[in-house]
Amino acid sequence: FVALWLVHRHWLYNEPEEAGHGIAPVTVDRIFGYAMASLGLLLACAGLATLLGEVGQELAGDDHWRRDIGWPLGIAIAGGATWAWYWIATRRRLASAPEAEQASTARRAYLLVVLGGAIVALVVGLAMTIYQVMREILGVAGETGLASEIALPIGITLVTVAVTAYHGVLLRRDVAVRELIEREDAAMAT
C-alpha cells in the first residue's frame, strides 16, 4: 500500500510539469493535502465514534468491550494522526497566504464534503437512537438494555456534532473572506 501511495504521489507532483501544464505546485499540494485530510478525518471519526460506543456499552454493563476496543482505537489514532499531519500543513499555508487559501476551491470542496458527510452521519446517528428508543417503548427491545443499544448512535452523534461545529466555523470564516474579496474586486473594477 505504501509503495502504491508513493508512486501515485510522485505522479501527482511530476505529471503536470512533464506534460507542460501550468498547474502550480501549491495547487497540487492543496488538493493532495485536503484529500488526505479527508481520509484521515473519516477514519478518525469512525474509530472515535466506535470507541465511544464501546465505552458506552461498558458503562451500560456489557463485558465484551475490552476485546473490541483495539480496532477502533487503532483506526482513531491512525486517522487522527493522518488528519493532523495534513491539517497542520494546511494551517501553515493559511498562515502564509490567508486570502489565497481561504478562497481556494479545494478548501471549499473539503469543507463542504466534510460538512455534508457529517450531517448525513448525524442524521443516521439520531435515527438509530430514535429507532432504539421506539423499540424500547414498544416493548420489542433486543437482548441488551437500551443504554447498550444506543451507545454507538450516541457516539456517532457526539463525534459528528464536534466535526460539524469545527468545520462549520471554518466555512463561515472562509465565506466572509470570499465576500470581502469580491467586494474589493468590485470596488476596484468601478
Side-chain angles (χ1 to χ4, degrees):
F1 176 74
V2 172
L4 190 61
W5 176 79
L6 288 172
V7 167
H8 281 89
R9 185 174 191 273
H10 174 75
W11 288 344
L12 178 69
Y13 281 98
N14 294 324
E15 186 175 322
E17 292 175 8
E18 293 171 1
H21 294 123
I23 299 175
V26 71
T27 302
V28 174
D29 282 340
R30 189 177 284 137
I31 292 169
F32 185 75
Y34 284 120
M36 292 303 294
S38 298
L39 177 62
L41 186 63
L42 175 67
L43 292 175
C45 289
L48 187 58
T50 306
L51 188 61
L52 288 174
E54 294 295 335
V55 170
Q57 288 179 346
E58 166 61 18
L59 294 174
D62 289 349
D63 291 330
H64 75 287
W65 78 281
R66 284 184 185 90
R67 70 172 187 262
D68 293 337
I69 66 166
W71 182 248
L73 184 61
I75 289 175
I77 291 171
T82 302
W83 178 79
W85 180 268
Y86 288 100
W87 197 247
I88 288 169
T90 298
R91 300 292 295 174
R92 284 189 193 129
R93 279 194 313 271
L94 182 64
S96 66
E99 288 181 357
E101 187 67 28
Q102 288 178 312
S104 74
T105 303
R107 179 178 176 90
R108 189 171 189 153
Y110 164 81
L111 291 172
L112 291 173
V113 166
V114 166
L115 285 169
I119 290 170
V120 168
L122 178 64
V123 169
V124 168
L126 291 173
M128 289 169 60
T129 303
I130 292 169
Y131 172 74
Q132 294 300 335
V133 169
M134 292 304 296
R135 282 183 59 182
E136 184 73 24
I137 290 171
L138 296 173
V140 291
E143 296 175 9
T144 59
L146 177 63
S148 179
E149 294 291 331
I150 66 170
L152 179 61
I154 295 296
I156 292 170
T157 302
L158 292 174
V159 170
T160 56
V161 164
V163 168
T164 302
Y166 178 69
H167 287 84
V169 167
L170 294 177
L171 183 62
R172 287 181 57 97
R173 286 182 191 162
D174 289 0
V175 166
V177 168
R178 279 180 180 243
E179 289 174 354
L180 180 64
I181 291 171
E182 288 173 2
R183 280 195 301 260
E184 289 174 356
D185 289 346
M188 285 198 284
T190 57

